[in-house]
Amino acid sequence: MKTKNKRRKLWLLPVVLLGLLIISFWIPLPYYIEVPGGSDAVSSVLRVNKEEDQADGEYQFVTIGVIRANLPLMLYAGLTPHTDIIPAADLTGGASDEEYQRINQFYMQTSQNFAKYQGLTKAKKEIEMKFLGVYVLSLAEDSTFKNILHLGDTVTGVNGKTFKSSQELIDYVGKLKIGDEISVEFEDQGENRSEKGKIIKLENGKNGIGIGLIDRTEVQSDIPIEFSTEGIGGPSAGLMFSLAIYTQLADPDLRDGRIIAGTGTISEDGKVGEIGGADKKVVAAHEAGAEIFFVPDNPLTDEEKKANPKAKSNAEEAKETAKELGTSMKIVPVKTLDDAIKYLEDTKRKD
């Protein structure tokens, strides 16, 4: 009898282990896996003046794949180069998955807006920058609007008053008294709402409603510029969007038949900002056959190096990855949109 029980236990063991392995595929862990994504044609998501860019060559914007981790994916990430395991709290900043998606959409919309501004301005087209309100980027724990406003909402007014900048809004609420009841008008996923709360004392000692904010603006022009980027978030395509708009309006031959990928945020003044996952984006661009890869050129400060001796700038990381891959793709660090335009002008093939 003991022998039979022992045999049964031995037979059950691999079944149990197999069952646990299968279950592990379905149990999400508090981590995300970042992998190289795609390097896609900007022309597939952008129309300028209702026309597709059909000139020779191609601009590509590069993405990172983000996957919720389970045990098998964690094992895969640990054995695969240019694949990182990121704690969920670090990736989302403590926001819920829904809030994180809304923030990423905000960054994409802002990136597109500044790309329109830069592309149209460099092409010497008439434009107007219209102020629409302020995006909610964070909420203080003691804010009376904590469960009313959400990340990604747009505050359009306070007490029926509208403003021309976030600073005007801050100045107005800063003059109100602690405990004063106020009405905040805002847009929540396309729905206009109005809710009441109270003025509180902020961590900086000033009075306010306890939200982190940034201007929401919209470029207005007689030239229609339309994006189709559903399901794509983040600000890192700003540089390539700007280049594509400028090229189509001002210099259709700028690409000169080349496949040009790149990454980097774009600001209202044309500066190219740092992004995450430069190594993964180099891998994606290399696999897509890009000849040139633009990357932000912002060296680390002494303070940043001291805080994290292993940290690398985007340009350093991109060059190291390109060397590791043995790619012929040219890594081109740029500080501004003008830098990228000048490089393409100077390196056109000679007839």
Side-chain angles (χ1 to χ4, degrees), residues 37-59:
S39 193
D40 303 310
V42 174
S43 60
S44 68
V45 300
L46 173 66
R47 293 292 180 274
V48 177
N49 214 11
K50 298 184 179 180
E51 296 180 356
E52 181 181 349
D53 185 353
Q54 296 183 338
D56 291 341
E58 188 173 88
Y59 287 129

Side-chain angles (χ1 to χ4, degrees), residues 102-118:
R102 292 179 68 174
I103 292 172
N104 263 337
Q105 286 306 305
F106 148 73
Y107 282 126
M108 173 57 80
Q109 291 169 7
T110 302
S111 172
Q112 291 172 0
N113 193 55
F114 287 157
K116 291 178 184 179
Y117 181 84
Q118 278 297 311

Side-chain angles (χ1 to χ4, degrees), residues 266-288:
I266 197 73
S267 64
E268 189 172 349
D269 61 1
K271 292 180 180 177
V272 178
E274 297 285 290
I275 51 83
D279 61 327
K280 300 167 190 62
K281 294 181 177 180
V282 168
V283 172
H286 164 68
E287 291 178 347

Side-chain angles (χ1 to χ4, degrees), residues 38-93:
S39 193
D40 303 310
V42 174
S43 60
S44 68
V45 300
L46 173 66
R47 293 292 180 274
V48 177
N49 214 11
K50 298 184 179 180
E51 296 180 356
E52 181 181 349
D53 185 353
Q54 296 183 338
D56 291 341
E58 188 173 88
Y59 287 129
Q60 296 180 346
F61 69 101
V62 193
T63 60
I64 292 176
V66 180
I67 312 165
R68 190 64 185 247
N70 54 32
L71 182 58
L73 285 174
M74 293 281 281
L75 295 174
Y76 167 82
L79 299 171
T80 307
H82 307 297
T83 301
D84 293 329
I85 301 170
I86 311 293
D90 290 353
L91 184 71
T92 66

Side-chain angles (χ1 to χ4, degrees), residues 82-277:
H82 307 297
T83 301
D84 293 329
I85 301 170
I86 311 293
D90 290 353
L91 184 71
T92 66
S96 66
D97 286 348
E98 180 183 354
E99 288 176 330
Y100 177 65
Q101 292 300 324
R102 292 179 68 174
I103 292 172
N104 263 337
Q105 286 306 305
F106 148 73
Y107 282 126
M108 173 57 80
Q109 291 169 7
T110 302
S111 172
Q112 291 172 0
N113 193 55
F114 287 157
K116 291 178 184 179
Y117 181 84
Q118 278 297 311
L120 288 163
T121 299
K122 296 298 179 188
K124 299 182 180 179
K125 305 298 181 181
E126 291 188 7
I127 60 172
E128 178 185 353
M129 185 76 88
K130 184 178 180 181
F131 178 76
L132 300 180
V134 297
Y135 278 112
V136 178
L137 292 185
S138 64
L139 281 156
E141 288 297 326
D142 57 345
S143 172
T144 60
F145 290 93
K146 177 67 175 177
N147 295 313
I148 298 173
L149 292 172
H150 301 93
L151 304 186
D153 285 350
T154 300
V155 174
T156 56
V158 176
N159 289 340
K161 299 180 181 294
T162 57
F163 308 93
K164 295 181 179 179
S165 69
S166 56
Q167 190 59 52
E168 280 192 11
L169 186 154
I170 292 169
D171 292 342
Y172 172 75
V173 298
K175 293 176 182 177
L176 301 178
K177 296 179 181 179
I178 295 176
D180 280 355
E181 186 176 80
I182 63 168
S183 173
V184 169
E185 295 81 46
F186 61 100
E187 181 184 310
D188 179 2
Q189 293 185 314
E191 179 185 353
N192 292 319
R193 297 176 54 190
S194 177
E195 299 287 349
K196 292 183 178 180
K198 294 184 178 181
I199 295 294
I200 63 171
K201 178 69 73 176
L202 306 177
E203 288 185 356
N204 61 10
K206 297 181 179 180
N207 297 350
I209 59 178
I211 65 172
L213 45 81
I214 188 172
D215 286 2
R216 177 183 175 183
T217 57
E218 181 180 89
V219 169
Q220 296 186 337
S221 170
D222 291 336
I223 300 173
I225 297 176
E226 300 169 337
F227 289 93
S228 301
T229 53
E230 293 78 9
I232 305 172
S236 64
L239 169 63
M240 301 311 294
F241 287 164
S242 302
L243 265 176
I245 294 168
Y246 168 80
T247 298
Q248 202 162 337
L249 291 173
D251 190 353
D253 298 323
L254 183 61
R255 280 196 305 272
D256 194 29
R258 294 168 288 185
I259 299 176
I260 303 160
T263 187
T265 66
I266 197 73
S267 64
E268 189 172 349
D269 61 1
K271 292 180 180 177
V272 178
E274 297 285 290
I275 51 83

